């Protein structure tokens, strides 16, 4: 068998589809550019590894459960001066994942907690990490579902697997014993595995007694959550309300368009 055919067959049997598809092009470019054997092999295998990475990112993104797509670049730091921009950019380097540092965003509704959590997850996804975004109320609802269907450990194992877990909106409703126990187990196991959690809450630390009425449980949870952690307290106004106010204060120019900063913008009320 010719080396060419044998190589093609090997790529096929190894399921290196991208490399197999690119083989003729790579060989052609190697000939015209007089590439060395090493460079040619490198080029071919790089095509395969990149294609696999993209496939993994796509699959992970599908399972990530993101509520929307917002990036760090889209975050207007000037609108939220209480946020330490450098700290957020450091989180964007994803070192916290390897260090197992938990990230906690605290603040009133609309200040960008979920946006920042999603933006960090998007960076992690691009690097090939498996991530999960889930709200506390969804955890409670799905857990009840799994228990009813005879699979009581399913929720916990789903929350342990991803490299980064976002638990969004803790604190809107107090947690009953079952929910608090599940939250404790997630935090405890991930703490011991040094797998980080990103958490958002509208409650300050002082108000956590209202979320988890059992004091012993609350202390045990906070103890593990905070040991390796960074808390970002966001003060200030809701971004959504700010937009509304800006529109409210803007004036309508002669063409019927809203005018802001001298530029006319289409009037688009934001849904609250
Ligand atoms: P919450 O703090 O309640 O989780 P979100 O993060 O969901 O609020 O923010 C509400 C909306 O406002 C989102 O669409 C988000 O993208 C936007 N937003 C909030 N803060 C900013 C900001 N500083 N720059 C750009 N968009 C922002
Ligand atoms: Mg939110």
């Amino acid at each position: 068998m010719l080396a060419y055919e044998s190589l093609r067959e090997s790529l096929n049997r190894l399921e290196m589809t991208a490399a197999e598809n690119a083989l003729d092009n790579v060989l052609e470019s190697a000939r015209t550019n007089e590439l060395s054997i090493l460079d040619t092999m490198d080029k071919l295998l790089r095509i395969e590894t990149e294609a696999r990475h993209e496939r993994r990112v796509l699959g992970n993104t599908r399972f990530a459960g993101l509520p929307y797509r917002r990036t760090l670049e889209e975050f207007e730091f000037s609108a939220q001066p209480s946020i330490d921009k450098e700290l957020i950019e450091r989180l964007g380097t994803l070192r916290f994942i390897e260090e197992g540092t938990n990230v906690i965003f605290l603040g009133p509704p609309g200040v960008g907690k979920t946006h920042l959590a999603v933006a960090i997850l998007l960076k992690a996804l691009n690097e090939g990490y498996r991530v999960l975004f889930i709200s506390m109320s969804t955890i409670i609802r799905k857990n009840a579902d799994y228990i009813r269907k005879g699979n009581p450990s399913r929720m916990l194992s789903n929350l342990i697997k991803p490299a980064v877990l976002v638990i969004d909106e803790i604190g809107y409703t107090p947690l009953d014993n079952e929910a608090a126990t599940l939250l404790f187990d997630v935090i405890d196991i991930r703490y011991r595995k040094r797998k980080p959690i990103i958490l958002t809450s509208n409650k300050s630390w002082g108000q956590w007694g209202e979320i988890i009425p059992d004091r012993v449980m609350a202390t045990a949870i906070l103890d593990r959550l905070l040991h390796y952690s960074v808390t970002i307290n966001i003060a200030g106004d809701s971004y959504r309300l700010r937009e509304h106010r800006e529109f409210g204060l803007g004036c309508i120019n002669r063409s019927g368009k809203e005018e802001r900063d001298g530029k006319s913008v289409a009037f688009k009320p934001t849904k609250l």
Side-chain angles (χ1 to χ4, degrees):
M1 203 194 298
L2 283 172
Y4 171 80
E5 273 158 21
S6 163
L7 173 57
R8 198 169 257 291
E9 194 181 307
S10 298
L11 292 175
N12 183 280
R13 282 164 66 175
L14 289 167
E15 294 179 30
M16 296 170 74
T17 323
E20 193 190 347
N21 291 338
L23 182 61
D24 291 346
N25 278 342
V26 170
L27 291 176
E28 181 60 34
S29 107
R31 260 194 297 273
T32 41
N33 300 313
E34 294 178 4
L35 294 185
S36 68
I37 293 175
L38 202 59
D39 282 340
T40 313
M41 281 170 68
D42 180 46
K43 195 165 177 173
L44 189 67
L45 292 186
R46 217 172 258 275
I47 288 171
E48 180 63 32
T49 47
E50 272 166 25
R52 283 185 186 203
H53 177 77
E54 264 172 43
R55 223 168 29 232
R56 189 167 60 232
V57 171
L58 227 82
N60 287 347
T61 307
R62 219 170 294 136
F63 283 104
L66 299 182
Y68 51 62
R69 220 189 139 79
R70 298 276 197 291
T71 62
L72 274 192
E73 291 70 29
E74 283 166 334
F75 195 79
E76 245 183 85
F77 285 94
S78 58
Q80 216 59 261
S82 68
I83 297 180
D84 180 351
K85 186 177 178 199
E86 270 177 34
L87 173 59
I88 303 296
E89 280 169 353
R90 257 204 315 282
L91 292 173
T93 66
L94 305 181
R95 215 168 302 139
F96 78 97
I97 300 177
E98 298 311 319
E99 292 167 355
T101 306
N102 294 328
V103 181
I104 298 120
F105 291 106
L106 302 180
V111 291
K113 303 182 297 294
T114 302
H115 181 138
L116 290 171
V118 165
I120 294 168
L121 279 195
L122 283 173
K123 290 233 185 263
L125 278 167
N126 275 336
E127 289 303 312
Y129 286 105
R130 223 171 127 169
V131 309
L132 179 67
F133 180 104
I134 190 164
S135 69
M136 192 63 219
S137 58
T138 305
I139 291 179
I140 293 169
R141 187 171 44 77
K142 281 197 170 171
N143 189 43
D145 263 11
Y146 291 140
I147 290 171
R148 201 158 5 95
K149 288 177 185 153
N151 199 348
S153 58
R154 171 91 184 266
M155 194 69 244
L156 183 60
S157 68
N158 284 357
L159 298 174
I160 299 305
K161 269 183 233 145
V164 189
L165 170 70
V166 171
I167 304 181
D168 196 37
E169 296 192 341
I170 288 193
Y172 280 93
T173 46
L175 304 181
D176 64 14
N177 255 339
E178 193 167 62
T181 307
L182 176 61
L183 184 65
F184 171 79
D185 287 341
V186 176
I187 289 174
D188 181 53
I189 295 172
R190 293 188 68 95
Y191 169 76
R192 284 188 273 118
K193 291 180 182 259
R194 297 294 298 263
K195 283 174 142 186
I197 298 177
I198 301 176
L199 200 142
T200 83
S201 179
N202 61 330
K203 294 277 196 292
S204 66
W205 289 131
Q207 295 170 298
W208 269 55
E210 296 167 25
I211 307 175
I212 305 155
D214 181 330
R215 274 186 69 104
V216 178
M217 185 67 100
T219 311
I221 286 177
L222 289 186
D223 196 48
R224 285 156 183 77
L225 187 67
L226 297 181
H227 189 185
Y228 305 107
S229 71
V230 38
T231 298
I232 294 126
N233 271 302
I234 313 179
D237 288 344
S238 158
Y239 190 82
R240 285 173 285 208
L241 291 177
R242 195 188 66 114
E243 267 189 342
H244 272 258
R245 265 198 302 279
E246 273 186 17
F247 277 121
L249 291 173
C251 51
I252 308 291
N253 66 16
R254 254 176 282 147
S255 61
K257 294 253 181 78
E258 177 109 1
E259 204 161 80
R260 244 201 310 183
D261 303 331
K263 287 187 218 107
S264 89
V265 290
F267 180 72
K268 190 168 77 41
T270 343
K271 262 213 203 113
L272 270 182

